[in-house]
């Protein structure tokens, strides 16, 4: 779930029907703004609310564990794949300057960064020699954008990640 700049529309990636839905939070009206996605699971929105980034994790429990990140112009409907063959990308967080998109790769156990200009993907976690994350799911950036907070579905952990060093600190170890 991500809110538009006015805070009145919530955008949700609907995995099973493969749609991006806009929910009017004042009256509950749901509008499908785009369809045809392959198991979308994450969504991020630009500051203006004109562009959405959608992550797709087609078969996170089966054999096809790769997926794309797609940029969608919400006014025109034009789609552009900005990264593909990722390890079941899900949680998305766009930095304030809209130059980088942080995302979890659930099947690969990674937190990664996509440079939106060059489309280069960089692994932040795990660092060489460190264990992978356990089913990373959501990601949120701190206000100063030096830290990412991530949840892990396997084990139920909440961790912080220093984005400069890749050091992971478990904040809540899970049940």
């Amino acid at each position: 779930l991500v809110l538009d700049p006015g805070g009145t529309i919530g955008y949700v990636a609907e995995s099973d029907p493969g749609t991006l839905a806009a929910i009017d939070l004042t009256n509950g009206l749901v509008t499908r703004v785009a369809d045809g996605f392959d198991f979308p699971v994450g969504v991020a929105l630009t500051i203006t609310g004109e562009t959405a980034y959608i992550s797709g994790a087609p078969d996170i429990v089966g054999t096809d564990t790769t997926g794309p990140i797609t940029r969608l112009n919400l006014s025109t409907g034009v789609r552009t794949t900005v990264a593909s063959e990722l390890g079941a990308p899900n949680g998305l967080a766009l930095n304030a300057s809209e130059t980088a998109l942080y995302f979890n790769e659930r099947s690969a156990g990674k937190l990664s960064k996509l440079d939106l200009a060059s489309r280069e993907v960089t692994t932040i976690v795990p660092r060489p020699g460190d264990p992978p994350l356990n089913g990373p799911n959501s990601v949120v950036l701190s206000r100063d954008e030096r830290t990412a907070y991530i949840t892990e579905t396997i084990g139920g952990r909440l961790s912080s990640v220093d984005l400069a060093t890749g050091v992971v600190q478990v904040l809540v170890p899970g049940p």
Side-chain angles (χ1 to χ4, degrees):
L1 172 68
V2 65
L3 299 180
D4 76 329
T8 59
I9 304 292
Y11 288 90
V12 178
E14 296 180 301
S15 301
D16 192 24
T19 60
L20 178 66
I23 304 168
D24 186 323
L25 301 176
T26 63
N27 61 22
L29 180 66
V30 177
T31 304
R32 272 45 182 215
V33 295
D35 61 10
F37 293 102
D38 192 3
F39 207 81
V41 290
V43 62
L45 203 59
T46 56
I47 293 169
T48 61
E50 295 172 0
T51 302
Y53 290 89
I54 299 107
S55 60
D59 187 4
I60 59 174
V61 295
T63 56
D64 181 12
T65 58
T66 63
I69 295 176
T70 303
R71 180 176 51 230
L72 173 67
N73 181 309
L74 293 170
S75 298
T76 65
V78 172
R79 298 176 196 205
T80 306
T81 300
V82 293
S84 61
E85 299 299 314
L86 303 169
N90 51 16
L92 301 175
L94 186 61
N95 70 349
S97 61
E98 299 179 357
T99 58
L101 187 66
Y102 294 86
F103 61 96
N104 288 313
E105 294 186 68
R106 183 180 171 124
S107 66
K110 296 179 181 181
L111 171 64
S112 298
K113 173 186 172 183
L114 171 63
D115 180 303
L116 292 170
S118 69
R119 297 190 184 173
E120 180 181 344
V121 175
T122 305
T123 299
I124 296 170
V125 174
R127 299 175 304 171
D130 287 351
L133 300 169
N134 292 312
N137 196 20
S138 300
V139 60
V140 177
L141 298 178
S142 62
R143 290 193 190 273
D144 65 9
E145 297 183 353
R146 294 182 185 159
T147 304
Y149 296 93
I150 58 171
T151 59
E152 295 174 79
T153 29
I154 302 168
R157 295 188 329 180
L158 170 65
S159 300
S160 65
V161 177
D162 182 308
L163 294 173
T165 65
V167 172
V168 177
Q169 179 181 356
V170 176
L171 302 173
V172 179

